[in-house]
């Protein structure tokens, strides 16, 4: 048996979703993990903000990190350690332009 942490979450929560309107990913329960990482990848020329959000009730989400897409393709990699909220999701606030958004979440239990 290894002393290394085990991945308990390793999933795609958005799969090439068109960035022509607001987007909200599925809710991910992060209560039983010691930390998680979100990798957001967008293509095209979308203008808007990608927010990684946390919540304790699964209804009211608060932004943890915001990344502007600025009309170009790009990526965001956010590492959250020792979070003390239960749920997270990724949302995109559309302003203009087009593109597609793919997001992955991975998490380990210590």
């Amino acid at each position: 048996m290894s002393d290394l942490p085990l991945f308990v979450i390793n999933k795609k929560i958005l799969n090439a979703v068109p960035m022509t309107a607001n987007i909200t990913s599925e809710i991910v329960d992060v209560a039983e993990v010691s930390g998680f990482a979100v990798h957001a990848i967008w293509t095209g020329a979308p203008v808007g903000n990608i927010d990684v959000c946390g919540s304790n009730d699964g209804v009211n989400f608060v932004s943890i990190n915001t990344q502007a897409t600025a009309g170009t393709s790009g990526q965001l990699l956010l590492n959250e350690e020792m979070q003390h909220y239960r749920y997270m999701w990724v949302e995109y606030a559309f302003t203009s332009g087009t593109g597609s958004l793919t997001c992955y979440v991975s998490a380990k239990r210590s």
Side-chain angles (χ1 to χ4, degrees):
M1 185 163 151
S2 172
D3 290 332
L4 297 175
L6 300 173
F7 277 102
V8 293
I9 301 171
N10 195 12
K11 66 190 300 185
K12 189 182 291 187
I13 60 171
L14 293 170
N15 187 12
V17 178
M19 299 173 81
T20 54
N22 293 340
I23 301 168
T24 302
S25 76
E26 66 181 274
I27 296 171
V28 179
D29 188 335
V30 293
E32 299 294 324
V33 298
S34 58
F36 67 91
V38 175
H39 188 187
I41 305 160
W42 61 93
T43 62
V47 178
N49 289 319
I50 296 173
D51 287 305
V52 177
C53 303
S55 172
N56 279 324
D57 63 7
V59 175
N60 300 292
F61 283 82
V62 177
S63 179
I64 299 163
N65 185 287
T66 301
Q67 174 72 45
T69 58
T72 62
S73 296
Q75 298 184 45
L76 164 69
L77 183 59
L78 173 68
N79 192 41
E80 276 292 300
E81 295 183 39
M82 300 303 294
Q83 76 285 347
H84 296 284
Y85 44 87
R86 177 155 189 177
Y87 304 102
M88 62 79 55
W89 74 12
V90 175
E91 64 183 11
Y92 172 67
F94 172 78
T95 301
S96 64
T98 61
S100 65
L101 178 61
T102 299
C103 290
Y104 301 89
V105 175
S106 63
K108 293 182 178 180
R109 184 177 302 143
S110 57

